[in-house]
Amino acid sequence: MTGAGRIIRVALAAGLVVLAAASACPAQEQPAAPAPRSAAKPAETRVYTAQQQEIMAALDKLLAEQNYEQLAKTVAALSDGPGITAGLDWGRARTLEGASLVVPLVYAALLWRTAAQNPEYASMRQTSGLMAAYALLVMAADSPKCADKSAPEHQIASILAVYKPLLAAVAKLPEEQRTKITDTALALEKRLAPKRGNDNYLCRFGLQEHIDTAKKFGDAAYTEAPAKPGQVGKQMVLRFDMSYVPKFRPAEQWEPEQAAARARFPELLSTVLNTLGAQAQTGAAKP
């Protein structure tokens, strides 16, 4: 069975689909998307067109439905200036409202893609790195809320794998800029913590969901998928139940664990960035 693989693929899709648009070919070969002309204007004072309002409403609907894969595809499909602006402003606004972990992940990926395709917005790379660092901290801070411990365990590995280019870019910055980004990520996580409620995305895709989905749908819980190269026999994948709601621990149990985790955050970010920086130097030294 490859049910767990299906679950993890859905979890990764939120960022991977968007990042693929920026990494599918070298930056100089990418067809540049029209830049969001009003990107420098504060989102709070921006007047949105009917089309932009529809985009934002659609993203809100997909998020509410837990349709994470389609959310990622919708963001990845944004290609013109007004659409990209709507996507960026939506990601920023929802992140600052304390929305699900999936939002800063998708927002970070869209920032990265926009910067890759529009050199005049290269500074967005630093913002994308900030959002990736913030998402990493949110994962560590809020994972104690999950009743199923297996659910968030893969998240840190997923973030480090899929968002490695974003964090590596931060690692290569001059010390002053790097410190500013990490300090901002630390402050942002702490400031937004009271706004972040129970996060279905963070606490899904674990063993308990696999068990519950199989119990709920019985034989219909699995569908056959085409075998990949090298695989033998039937390949069965677990269906994705958008209505699934994970269980959460009471606050008196997770709050002490969150406080302990937060105390280690400066060390966590430093270790991650130092490791990525060392890897970059090693790679650059190879002939």
Side-chain angles (χ1 to χ4, degrees), residues 209-221 238-245:
E209 180 173 351
H210 193 149
I211 294 171
D212 293 344
T213 301
K215 184 183 297 184
K216 177 179 178 179
F217 295 101
D219 293 340
L238 183 71
R239 69 185 296 168
F240 178 60
D241 181 7
M242 290 195 299
S243 66
Y244 184 82
V245 178

Side-chain angles (χ1 to χ4, degrees), residues 11-42:
L12 285 171
L16 193 56
V17 171
V18 184
L19 285 173
S23 60
C25 55
Q28 64 270 23
E29 297 178 5
Q30 292 177 13
R37 296 179 181 177
S38 55
K41 187 176 182 180

Side-chain angles (χ1 to χ4, degrees), residues 6 9-22 55 58-59 62-63 66-80 83-84 87 90 102-103 105-107 109-110 113 163 201 240 242:
R6 161 64 178 165
R9 283 199 299 276
V10 173
L12 285 171
L16 193 56
V17 171
V18 184
L19 285 173
I55 290 172
L59 295 177
L62 292 169
L63 180 62
Q66 300 192 76
N67 196 344
Y68 306 123
E69 196 165 8
Q70 188 57 45
L71 174 66
K73 289 179 179 179
T74 300
V75 173
L78 299 174
S79 59
D80 61 7
I84 292 173
W90 177 86
V102 71
V103 173
L105 289 175
V106 171
Y107 178 38
L110 182 57
R113 174 166 70 93
Y163 292 83
Y201 177 79
F240 178 60
M242 290 195 299

Side-chain angles (χ1 to χ4, degrees), residues 141-199:
D142 292 353
S143 61
K145 298 179 181 180
C146 304
D148 180 5
K149 290 296 184 182
S150 70
E153 285 178 353
H154 71 274
Q155 291 284 13
I156 187 167
S158 300
I159 292 174
L160 291 176
V162 177
Y163 292 83
K164 181 178 179 179
L166 285 64
L167 294 168
V170 175
K172 291 185 288 186
L173 289 172
E175 186 64 28
E176 183 178 353
Q177 289 178 278
R178 170 175 153 167
T179 299
K180 183 177 181 180
I181 288 176
T182 56
D183 286 350
T184 302
L186 291 165
L188 191 63
E189 185 284 317
K190 188 174 182 179
R191 179 165 68 88
L192 296 181
K195 296 184 178 182
R196 296 195 307 268
N198 291 335
D199 187 351

